[in-house]
Amino acid sequence: MAVEKTNKREGSTGDFNGDLDVNDNPPTRKELDNVADLPVLDAKGKSHTFKSLYTPPTNNERSRILIIFIRHFFCGNCQEYLRSLSSSLPPSALTTLDPPTKIIVIGCGQPDLIPMYIRETQCTYPIYADPTKQLYARLGMTRTLNLGNKSPQYMQYSLPSAMIRAIYQGLKAGRDAFKGGDYWQVGGEFIFEDVDGNGRPEITWCHRMKNTRDHAEVPDVRRRLDLDGARPPLRKTFTSGIRRSSSQLKQNLSDRRRSWGGSVSRSRDRAEKSSPEGSMMDKVKEDPHEKEAEKNSEGEKRNNITSGIRRSSSQLKRNFSDRRRSWGGSVSRSRDRAEKSSPEGSTMEDVKEDRKGEEAEMNSEDALKGLEGRKTNGAVPTNHNGALLMNGNGQAA
């Protein structure tokens, strides 16, 4: 039996070499009765009997329970399995099956780590703990650290990535990292059904893990639950969330752009309707002849503006010239008034008189020089004192 092999291999260091040689034979009625009253603990540490998980409340109620035994609470492989299973088989879909189905998870760690496990896996199924591992041993599940030869379908993270995530969770948990459970322990999947309708369910199918990544594939579980055997859609991952966020952001920006454009258009329409010039859209919809007439009108307006500018420039020049002439006349008149009001007479007249005086003086000097020459030569008459003899007109005799 599988149980005997479990006891022989417990603590063996040869578990790294290949898959375990275990079978998938369901436990007998007697073996199931021996574990029915074993305790399991919920997240609050409250104890429940194992049979209370798979026994229906009433004998007449048909139900089917899939119990999944996982490894320790920091196992990245088991976390990936529950993420994929929760995405493919949500509780809302399970209740519509015939008979209604429920999935329950049991781990081998301490119950106070269950809330952390739910946060990390987003698991939608009830989770319990079996720290004593008695259920694991008596139901034929064994211990190994072998990873197996191939990566299962439910693993959407690489093995190194899953290991790093598990190590990070353990470091973040601090002292609680030692409460995760036995790292060697592996689990399995068991389906409980009340086939005879006597209120005593039995195990109709089971799968025991042969390595640390040997959970039953999701398509196989779906077939066992009378669902299609097709491979389930990919579950939600971190990168798919980024892609959805990016697409949603683009859609929001597009919607906001359209909304903004519509608001601007509505505001513009309201402004145009309230404007006395009429609606801008009406102007846009005018026929080609009206557009041509509008262009011609605009051309005439531009020409009129240009002509007006030219006329204004000419008028400005004329005004400036008139002002300059007016300013010159004002200066001349102001100067004349100043000259007339001066007690010394006109400045220009004084200048002219000065010039005449200078010319007369120069003429007198020239005359005197001429007379001196004539006097020397004896041509000018003088008295006995040598003075010139002048006639009645003041000239030399």
Side-chain angles (χ1 to χ4, degrees):
M1 290 179 59
V3 174
E4 294 177 356
K5 290 188 177 183
T6 299
N7 294 333
K8 290 180 181 179
R9 299 184 64 87
E10 186 168 350
S12 173
T13 59
D15 289 340
F16 290 101
N17 301 322
D19 292 344
L20 295 178
D21 184 16
V22 294
N23 60 60
D24 291 335
N25 296 329
T28 63
R29 165 61 61 182
K30 182 179 179 180
E31 293 172 341
L32 184 57
D33 290 341
N34 291 335
V35 299
D37 293 325
L38 291 178
V40 292
L41 306 176
D42 60 19
K44 297 181 179 180
K46 183 179 179 180
S47 179
H48 305 265
T49 60
F50 179 57
K51 66 180 179 182
S52 65
L53 303 183
Y54 59 82
T55 302
T58 60
N59 294 336
N60 296 330
E61 182 179 351
R62 297 179 62 247
S63 65
R64 178 170 51 191
I65 307 296
L66 170 61
I67 297 182
I68 300 173
F69 289 85
I70 60 173
R71 300 178 66 233
H72 58 89
F73 284 130
F74 295 106
C75 175
N77 302 326
C78 293
Q79 291 182 7
E80 276 290 276
Y81 183 66
L82 288 183
R83 292 187 188 104
S84 297
L85 201 65
S86 297
S87 177
S88 176
L89 296 172
S92 58
L94 295 174
T95 56
T96 61
L97 299 177
D98 186 22
T101 304
K102 186 177 181 180
I103 295 179
I104 296 174
V105 179
I106 297 178
C108 63
Q110 294 298 324
D112 50 350
L113 288 181
I114 293 177
M116 178 277 300
Y117 197 76
I118 294 175
R119 288 194 305 270
E120 293 294 337
T121 62
Q122 300 298 312
C123 182
T124 56
Y125 313 129
I127 301 179
Y128 296 87
D130 176 23
T132 64
K133 301 182 295 180
Q134 294 187 52
L135 287 173
Y136 288 82
R138 296 190 184 186
L139 292 177
M141 291 168 280
T142 57
R143 304 175 70 250
T144 183
L145 289 177
N146 180 40
L147 295 173
N149 298 324
K150 65 177 182 177
S151 178
Q153 295 179 6
Y154 60 79
M155 290 289 294
Q156 295 189 22
Y157 287 103
S158 64
L159 180 60
S161 177
M163 294 178 66
I164 291 173
R165 289 166 63 92
I167 294 173
Y168 174 74
Q169 291 174 13
L171 294 174
K172 188 169 63 174
R175 295 182 179 180
D176 289 341
F178 299 100
K179 299 180 180 181
D182 186 0
Y183 280 64
W184 288 70
Q185 185 67 58
V186 293
E189 296 78 39
F190 297 79
I191 294 180
F192 293 78
E193 289 187 85
D194 186 5
V195 179
D196 299 330
N198 55 8
R200 300 184 60 193
E202 58 185 49
I203 300 175
T204 58
W205 172 84
C206 74
H207 169 77
R208 298 181 179 90
M209 297 175 64
K210 298 177 177 62
N211 57 62
T212 58
R213 298 186 296 176
D214 190 35
H215 279 290
E217 292 287 1
V218 176
D220 190 18
V221 174
R222 292 174 62 90
R223 281 192 298 267
R224 298 293 178 178
L225 299 179
D226 300 326
L227 292 170
D228 61 281
R231 183 173 181 175
L234 295 178
R235 63 175 174 79
K236 301 177 181 179
T237 61
F238 176 73
T239 54
S240 63
I242 292 178
R243 289 193 295 268
R244 286 194 305 274
S245 298
S246 177
S247 301
Q248 186 64 33
L249 178 60
K250 291 180 180 178
Q251 183 64 32
N252 291 341
L253 289 176
S254 178
D255 293 342
R256 288 187 180 183
R257 191 182 298 115
R258 288 195 295 269
S259 176
W260 178 82
S263 299
V264 170
S265 178
R266 289 191 294 272
S267 300
R268 184 176 57 193
D269 292 342
R270 287 194 296 268
E272 290 172 352
K273 289 179 180 179
S274 61
S275 174
E277 298 180 357
S279 173
M280 185 177 291
M281 293 302 297
D282 294 339
K283 296 181 180 179
V284 173
K285 296 179 180 180
E286 290 176 351
D287 57 27
H289 298 290
E290 294 180 353
K291 291 183 179 180
E292 187 67 26
E294 184 178 354
K295 289 182 179 179
N296 295 335
S297 176
E298 291 178 356
E300 291 177 0
K301 287 181 180 179
R302 286 195 295 269
N303 294 334
N304 293 336
I305 292 172
T306 305
S307 301
I309 292 174
R310 290 174 180 172
R311 288 194 299 271
S312 299
S313 178
S314 300
Q315 185 65 33
L316 181 61
K317 290 180 180 180
R318 287 196 298 271
N319 293 339
F320 181 75
S321 178
D322 295 341
R323 288 189 179 183
R324 185 165 52 193
R325 288 196 296 270
S326 175
W327 175 79
S330 298
V331 170
S332 177
R333 288 191 296 272
S334 298
R335 184 175 60 191
D336 294 341
R337 287 195 298 270
E339 289 173 351
K340 290 179 181 180
S341 62
S342 174
E344 297 179 356
S346 173
T347 303
M348 294 302 295
E349 292 176 356
D350 293 343
V351 172
K352 292 179 181 180
E353 291 178 359
D354 292 341
R355 288 182 180 177
K356 290 179 180 180
E358 290 176 358
E359 291 177 356
E361 185 178 353
M362 291 176 65
N363 293 334
S364 299
E365 290 179 356
D366 291 341
L368 288 174
K369 289 180 181 180
L371 291 175
E372 288 293 334
R374 293 170 59 188
K375 178 181 178 183
T376 303
N377 297 331
V380 177
T382 60
N383 62 13
H384 65 276
N385 291 327
L388 291 172
L389 295 176
M390 307 296 291
N391 58 16
N393 296 326
Q395 298 179 351

